[in-house]
Each structure stands twice: as structure tokens, then as C-alpha cells.
């Protein structure tokens, strides 16, 4: 149920505040640079090294995404599929695995787990940020997997819990616009206040998977297709009770970032998602998608953040913004000791 999904999300957040994640730079745990506790990074491969390795590996990796789409559309995930997916994501048969496999009902409830691409904290700023990366300003909301198939649209939480069934104007999402074997899969952020699913990424449209396409193409395809269906998906109606609105992808040039961070945003901002232009849509956490809160931008990237932009973002208890500075420079009680590209973070305002 929705209440169970909300309870699990709260539990994950609570665990993240006190536990050290086994995944490098897990965003459910505090940012390594801004945590009040010093975290050891020994054993964690350098982000730049892992990015280069994944970009090289994805050139050779071939997966039957049509088969994956079919399984998502049918909801046909066997226990063996779940085991293979956990092995791909480096999960063992620990306490969580025992809990998932404890009963058939629980396996069924979590069968859509690990179907989203998750980000890491940006710890090592990419040297090619301006040329090779794109930025999405993400609104505060609930991350969802949205599947439109067999004449119904279904939303699942980030951890795989069922949230709701509803009709939509998305292809495959209602009896009116459903064709045989038609399926659409979207990565969304849902905001209850305006009943809108903000589309962050597209993995499949009308049965055509684009998991193994790069970010630039998926962005173009997402905007093109949602624009074509704008008359049915962008307005609330009886046959489309929630809006679907694509999020904008922006250049990471210094001029573009300064302009974005210098203006007030129309909705509450959760954070900034940076995605590599050549990244495929991979399931699980990836260093090709990195995340920063607005208050962290100056400390990590050395870019000014205006008070207007910060007013749209929630206050972070473990990161203090110096209100005496228009740039929104970050000040920690113990001082920022880490370095940014070899320069002390307090003085790396020209490094990006």
C-alpha cells in the first residue's frame, strides 16, 4: 500500500542517517565532504576511474532490453530474476535478501525493485563537466517508476512498492490509447501538490526500448514524444488525472550554471542532478549520474549560488550557508578541509 511504501522510504532515510553504505557515495547517506562525521574513502574506487570504466564497458555490453520491457509490462519477475538482479547490483544474501525472499507475497510486492537509475554524490567533480555533462534541476517530490501497459498506468516507488493504478494519455496507459503489446516506461518525480509527474527520463516508448541509448538521445526522444502527446498528457482530465511534464536538461557550461543558480525557481528544488551525455540508462547506482544539494554547489564546484535560488531549496541541518555572502558560499563549523582539483575548497571558486 501507499502507507507501507511511505514507511519504507522513511526507514531508508533513517538508516542512511546513521549507517555507512556499502555503495560508494550513496545519496541515502550524508555527503562525504559535508558529513559531521569523517568517513573513510579507502577501498572506494575513484569516481573518475569508475566513470571511465563504465563508459568503456557499455560499448561492449549488450542486453535484451526488449525482453526486460516485456517482463516489466507483464509484471513477470520470477525469484530467479530477482536473484540475478541482486547479483548484478552486488547484493549478497544478507538480512535484506532474507527478508525479500521470506514469502511469495513480499517477493511479488518488491518485484519492481532496482528498475531505476540512481545517482551518487558528486565527490570528484568531472574535469569535462562543461563539455560532457547535462544538468537537471529536480523538484521536491517522490521518485517513481511509471509503467503504462495493457490499458492501465501503474506507479511504483523507488524501492519497488506499488503506489497506484490510474488511466493516462501515455501510450498504453488507458483502454482508449492501448494497442497490442504497447508499453511505455518512464522515470518520474511525482509532486502531490500539483498532481504532476515530472518526467526525468524515458526508458521505453510504445514498446521501443531506449535503455542502451545515450542521455542526449533519450532527452531528445522524451521531449519530442511528450510534446506530440501534449494535448492529452499535459492537462488534467477524466482520462488523464495527473499531468506528465518533462524536466528540462541544461548545458553545464559555466555561463549556463551561473544563470540557473542565480535565479528563483518556479517550484521547490530538491537538488541538482548531473548526467553524463554518453551514459546509458543503467539500473542501480551509477557514477555517471551524480547529485548535489543547492547548498553544496559552491563548496564542490566553486560556483556562486544566489539567495533567490537557495530560497527554493530546503534548509540542510548539516550544511550551513553563509548569509553574509551573495554567492551562498558554504561554511562548515570545522571548515572545509577537502580539496577540489588540488585546490582548497574555500578558494576554488574558479575551479569547475
Amino acid at each position: 500500500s501507499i502507507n507501507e511504501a511511505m514507511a519504507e522510504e522513511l526507514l531508508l532515510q533513517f538508516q542512511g542517517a546513521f549507517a555507512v553504505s556499502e555503495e560508494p557515495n550513496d545519496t541515502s547517506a550524508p555527503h562525504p565532504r559535508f558529513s559531521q562525521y569523517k568517513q573513510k574513502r579507502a577501498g572506494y574506487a575513484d569516481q573518475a576511474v569508475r566513470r571511465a570504466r563504465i563508459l568503456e564497458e557499455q560499448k561492449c555490453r549488450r542486453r535484451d532490453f526488449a525482453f526486460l520491457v516485456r517482463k516489466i509490462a507483464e509484471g513477470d519477475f520470477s525469484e530467479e530474476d530477482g536473484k540475478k538482479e541482486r547479483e548484478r547490483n552486488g547484493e549478497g544474501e544478507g538480512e535484506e535478501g532474507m527478508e525479500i525472499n521470506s514469502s511469495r507475497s513480499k517477493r511479488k510486492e518488491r518485484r519492481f525493485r532496482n528498475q531505476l537509475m540512481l545517482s551518487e554524490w558528486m565527490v570528484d567533480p568531472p574535469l569535462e563537466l562543461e563539455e560532457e555533462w547535462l544538468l537537471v534541476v529536480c523538484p521536491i517530490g517522490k521518485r517513481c517508476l511509471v509503467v503504462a501497459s495493457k490499458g492501465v498506468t501503474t506507479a511504483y516507488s523507488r524501492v519497488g512498492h506499488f503506489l497506484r493504478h490510474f488511466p493516462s494519455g501515455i501510450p498504453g496507459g488507458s483502454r482508449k490509447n492501448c494497442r497490442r503489446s504497447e508499453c511505455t516506461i518512464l522515470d518520474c518525480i511525482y509532486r502531490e501538490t500539483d498532481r504532476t509527474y515530472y518526467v526525468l527520463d524515458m526508458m521505453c516508448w510504445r514498446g521501443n526500448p531506449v535503455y542502451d541509448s545515450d542521455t542526449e538521445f533519450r532527452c531528445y526522444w522524451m521531449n519530442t514524444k511528450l510534446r506530440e502527446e501534449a494535448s492529452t498528457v499535459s492537462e488534467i482530465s477524466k482520462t488523464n488525472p495527473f499531468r506528465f511534464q518533462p524536466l528540462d536538461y541544461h548545458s553545464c557550461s559555466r555561463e549556463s550554471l551561473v544563470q540557473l543558480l542565480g535565479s528563483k525557481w518556479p517550484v521547490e528544488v530538491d537538488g541538482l542532478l548531473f548526467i553524463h551525455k554518453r551514459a546509458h540508462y543503467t539500473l542501480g547506482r551509477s557514477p555517471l549520474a551524480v547529485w548535489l544539494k543547492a547548498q553544496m554547489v559552491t563548496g564542490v564546484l566553486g560556483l556562486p549560488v544566489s539567495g533567490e535560488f537557495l530560497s527554493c531549496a530546503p534548509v540542510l541541518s548539516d550544511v550551513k550557508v553563509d548569509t553574509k555572502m551573495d554567492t551562498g558560499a558554504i561554511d562548515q563549523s570545522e571548515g572545509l578541509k577537502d580539496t577540489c582539483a588540488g585546490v582548497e575548497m574555500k578558494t576554488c571558486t574558479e575551479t569547475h
Side-chain angles (χ1 to χ4, degrees):
S1 67
I2 294 178
N3 288 336
E4 290 175 342
M6 292 175 63
E8 179 152 352
E9 288 283 356
L10 289 172
L11 177 61
L12 289 173
Q13 292 177 20
F14 181 80
Q15 290 173 336
F18 296 97
V20 177
S21 172
E22 294 181 0
E23 294 183 307
N25 310 316
D26 187 344
T27 55
S28 63
H31 191 296
R33 287 187 174 180
F34 298 97
S35 172
Q36 57 182 322
Y37 303 105
K38 298 299 180 182
Q39 298 184 29
K40 292 184 179 181
R41 294 185 61 197
Y44 282 359
D46 181 87
Q47 270 189 326
V49 173
R50 289 187 291 115
R51 286 175 196 137
R53 187 187 73 238
I54 292 174
L55 285 171
E56 191 62 32
E57 287 176 351
Q58 73 180 18
K59 295 177 183 177
C60 308
R61 186 170 58 235
R62 291 291 180 268
R63 185 175 178 184
D64 189 352
F65 287 107
F67 180 67
L68 174 63
V69 167
R70 197 156 56 245
K71 295 183 79 66
I72 292 175
E74 299 289 336
D76 181 23
F77 290 95
S78 66
E79 182 178 354
E80 187 63 24
D81 292 327
K83 182 178 179 181
K84 290 179 180 178
E85 192 64 46
R86 290 192 295 275
E87 289 174 351
R88 271 197 298 270
N89 287 278
E91 298 180 20
E93 293 296 328
E95 183 178 336
E96 184 179 6
M98 292 170 62
E99 180 182 344
I100 293 170
N101 291 308
S102 62
S103 69
R104 169 179 274 178
S105 61
K106 287 188 177 181
R107 287 198 303 270
K108 184 177 180 180
E109 176 69 15
R110 297 288 296 276
R111 62 189 175 184
F112 287 92
R113 184 170 177 258
N114 295 327
Q115 296 302 320
L116 292 174
M117 183 175 184
L118 304 178
S119 61
E120 296 185 5
W121 286 118
M122 181 190 287
V123 176
D124 300 326
L127 296 178
E128 73 286 9
L129 182 68
E130 290 198 53
E131 298 82 12
E132 294 291 338
W133 291 73
L134 296 169
L135 167 68
V136 184
V137 180
C138 296
I140 290 178
K142 187 178 185 64
R143 186 81 177 273
C144 300
L145 172 73
V146 175
V147 181
S149 176
K150 296 182 176 180
V152 65
T153 307
T154 310
Y156 300 91
S157 74
R158 181 176 64 88
V159 293
H161 280 294
F162 166 82
L163 296 177
R164 59 165 63 93
H165 285 311
F166 57 97
S168 76
I170 299 295
S174 70
R175 294 180 181 179
K176 184 178 179 181
N177 66 357
C178 181
R179 300 173 186 172
R180 186 177 180 182
S181 302
E182 190 168 72
C183 174
T184 297
I185 306 173
L186 304 174
D187 182 346
C188 301
I189 298 170
Y190 175 65
R191 276 176 56 85
E192 182 67 38
T193 52
D194 49 14
R195 293 178 66 83
T196 300
Y197 283 91
Y198 290 92
V199 184
L200 177 62
D201 214 325
M202 175 186 290
M203 297 87 92
C204 181
W205 184 264
R206 291 190 185 277
N208 299 303
V210 289
Y211 286 88
D212 56 352
S213 298
D214 61 39
T215 305
E216 284 189 301
F217 176 79
R218 295 197 314 276
C219 173
Y220 161 77
W221 198 244
M222 174 182 74
N223 281 280
T224 299
K225 294 305 176 183
L226 289 175
R227 240 189 339 259
E228 291 175 357
E229 305 290 338
S231 60
T232 57
V233 303
S234 62
E235 299 296 332
I236 293 178
S237 65
K238 185 177 180 180
T239 56
N240 190 73
F242 302 95
R243 296 184 186 89
F244 285 84
Q245 180 177 324
L247 288 169
D248 293 327
Y249 280 63
H250 303 277
S251 163
C252 283
S253 68
R254 183 179 179 84
E255 294 76 13
S256 174
L257 293 179
V258 169
Q259 182 178 2
L260 286 171
L261 298 171
S263 57
K264 189 175 180 65
W265 215 248
V267 295
E268 292 179 293
V269 175
D270 188 17
L272 309 177
L273 180 65
F274 297 83
I275 309 178
H276 198 286
K277 291 180 179 179
R278 291 183 284 127
H280 293 179
Y281 193 96
T282 54
L283 308 185
R285 209 166 293 281
S286 171
L288 297 178
V290 289
W291 177 257
L292 284 177
K293 293 290 189 177
Q295 295 89 338
M296 300 175 177
V297 171
T298 301
V300 176
L301 294 178
L303 292 172
V305 182
S306 70
E308 285 188 323
F309 190 89
L310 288 171
S311 68
C312 303
V315 176
L316 302 182
S317 59
D318 54 347
V319 177
K320 180 182 176 182
V321 178
D322 189 346
T323 56
K324 295 180 181 180
M325 299 180 63
D326 292 336
T327 59
I330 297 177
D331 175 36
Q332 277 188 284
S333 58
E334 294 184 3
L336 294 172
K337 303 291 186 180
D338 293 331
T339 58
C340 177
V343 183
E344 189 177 355
M345 287 181 67
K346 281 187 176 180
T347 61
C348 65
T349 55
E350 298 303 318
T351 305
H352 51 79

